[in-house]
Amino acid sequence: MENSDNKISQAADKIMNSRHLVAFTGAGISVESGIPSFRGEDGLWSKYDPQVLELSHFHQYPLESWTVIKEIFYDFFGEARPNPAHVVLADLEKSGLLKCVITQNIDNLHQTAGNTVVHEFHGNSHNLVCTKCKRHFGLAEVNLDVLPPKCGLCQGLLKPDFIFFGEGIPQQAYQASHIAAEKADVFLIIGSTGEVSPANQIPVHAKNTGATIIEVNPEKSRYTSYITDIHLKGKAGEIMTKLMEQISIKLKSKVIK
Ligand code: NAD
């Protein structure tokens, strides 16, 4: 058995015997769905100006900002479908092992895959909020053919309900994520650099309150030599598929015994 297979087997044991498994995801889990991360050579910010996600710029130039926001977060993200890593997390929830997903992503792919308990630390592009009367709208209720989109009630400017630079974390998601991290005895980090604050404190909180940290990432992150107990090096889709295979085999042999 290769070293990486050993580690996958070790991680599968930890997950199978867990009492409260929690997953924490970053941009990396959606890379195999065709959505690049923000930073890095092929990152979205190598092609687009991140200024479109600055609140003052958005309010000053709503049409210009919305034109780019629509292209990235609705036309481009809209094409994306869950990949095997998202599907495995949904299967783990169905099996009763996974208690919740904490995600920094705004692409809605965990819900599309079937996860029902998802704490969205940075919000979700599938919801919009009126900047004037604060009413919320689902994506299906808004016509993005006419930009910038306006509130049907007060004509205020609509904004995607994910956080822009400098905005605070949604309070409910913040609290729920901390509670989940505290309850976790096994904490799975998938595809996150650990550079985005305050989200990067959640896995540290889980570690400090006793969780075993399993990390899936083709690269080393800030977590790897700091809090990670088992680093499964590789792409999320491939590693999570192998991990689920191991869990299924072990569960079957447990039932037979
Ligand atoms: P990030 O912190 O989310 O890190 C991306 C990580 O993914 C890196 O460590 C990289 O090594 C890893 N990675 C790359 N390919 C992978 C794969 N196939 N499998 C597993 N891991 C892989 O970095 P960011 O892009 O700077 O993100 C900043 C913030 O913006 C984060 O909160 C992020 O979640 C959010 N964001 C969300 C989306 C989305 O909704 N899909 C896309 C881009 C950024």
Side-chain angles (χ1 to χ4, degrees):
M1 213 187 250
E2 285 175 31
N3 184 32
S4 68
D5 288 343
N6 263 327
K7 281 189 173 180
I8 287 175
S9 175
Q10 220 185 327
D13 280 332
K14 289 277 179 202
I15 288 174
M16 264 180 57
N17 296 317
S18 67
R19 188 180 29 77
H20 201 99
L21 172 68
V22 170
F24 174 85
T25 63
I29 195 172
S30 295
V31 167
E32 287 154 272
S33 292
I35 302 179
S37 60
F38 280 162
R39 301 196 189 86
E41 237 173 76
D42 301 319
L44 286 166
W45 299 148
S46 66
K47 188 171 170 206
Y48 298 99
D49 187 345
Q51 197 173 232
V52 294
L53 295 189
E54 274 167 22
L55 266 190
S56 57
H57 186 87
F58 177 75
H59 282 286
Q60 205 174 352
Y61 306 103
L63 176 58
E64 182 199 309
S65 298
W66 255 110
T67 304
V68 180
I69 287 170
K70 179 173 181 281
E71 190 177 320
I72 305 175
F73 298 102
Y74 296 94
D75 298 341
F76 183 47
F77 274 41
E79 299 281 309
R81 291 290 163 264
N83 67 57
H86 295 104
V87 174
V88 166
L89 289 184
D91 289 344
L92 282 171
E93 184 190 298
K94 276 185 213 120
S95 76
L97 283 168
L98 181 66
K99 301 300 185 275
C100 70
V101 176
I102 302 168
T103 189
Q104 300 166 81
N105 295 344
I106 55 169
D107 54 27
N108 206 53
L109 290 179
H110 289 301
Q111 289 90 334
T112 309
N115 281 101
T116 61
V117 191
V118 183
H119 304 307
E120 296 177 304
F121 211 79
H122 293 155
N124 187 323
S125 57
H126 285 221
N127 300 319
L128 293 97
V129 60
C130 173
T131 53
K132 201 167 156 195
C133 72
K134 309 298 176 205
R135 187 166 184 257
H136 284 80
F137 297 88
L139 184 54
E141 295 175 272
V142 176
N143 179 9
L144 291 182
D145 291 335
V146 183
L147 296 180
K150 296 276 175 69
C151 173
L153 291 179
C154 76
Q155 291 304 303
L157 175 66
L158 293 186
K159 171 190 169 293
D161 199 14
F162 56 75
I163 61 165
F164 280 27
F165 294 123
E167 279 192 292
I169 305 301
Q171 212 185 354
Q172 205 192 339
Y174 184 87
Q175 282 171 353
S177 301
H178 276 85
I179 292 169
E182 263 165 44
K183 284 188 181 166
D185 60 342
V186 179
F187 194 89
L188 184 58
I189 306 173
I190 308 174
S192 183
T193 53
E195 278 170 25
V196 179
S197 176
N200 58 6
Q201 289 162 22
I202 300 290
V204 177
H205 192 51
K207 176 75 175 182
N208 288 341
T209 49
T212 297
I213 309 289
I214 301 170
E215 182 179 10
V216 179
N217 198 317
E219 309 291 335
K220 283 188 174 174
S221 73
R222 281 200 180 199
Y223 303 117
T224 316
S225 51
Y226 175 35
I227 57 166
T228 299
D229 295 296
I230 305 173
H231 179 200
L232 305 177
K233 200 167 183 294
K235 293 181 179 177
E238 291 167 18
I239 297 286
M240 291 304 291
T241 303
K242 285 187 186 170
L243 192 58
M244 196 63 193
E245 279 166 9
Q246 280 289 316
I247 292 170
S248 304
I249 293 168
K250 285 171 192 277
L251 281 176
K252 271 185 203 148
S253 75
K254 211 174 173 183
V255 170
I256 291 166
K257 278 179 200 162

